Amino acid sequence: MVKAIRRIFAAVTVALLAFRAVGSFLSWIEHQEDSTADAWIDEDEYEDV
């Protein structure tokens, strides 16, 4: 009985941690889309030819 309760508690804990991790990742992705991408600008595009 106690073993089953521990397994259920562990499963709920893992599910909550996974949900939190996915939420953090999606928030990070959204933040990356909002920020400017100065580091990825191709300098060749701005050369005067």
Side-chain angles (χ1 to χ4, degrees), residues 12-36:
V12 169
T13 302
V14 169
L16 288 174
L17 288 175
F19 182 76
R20 186 174 178 188
V22 169
S24 295
F25 178 72
L26 292 176
S27 175
W28 177 78
I29 291 292
E30 183 177 339
H31 177 71
Q32 294 298 315
E33 290 176 354
D34 292 342
S35 64
T36 59

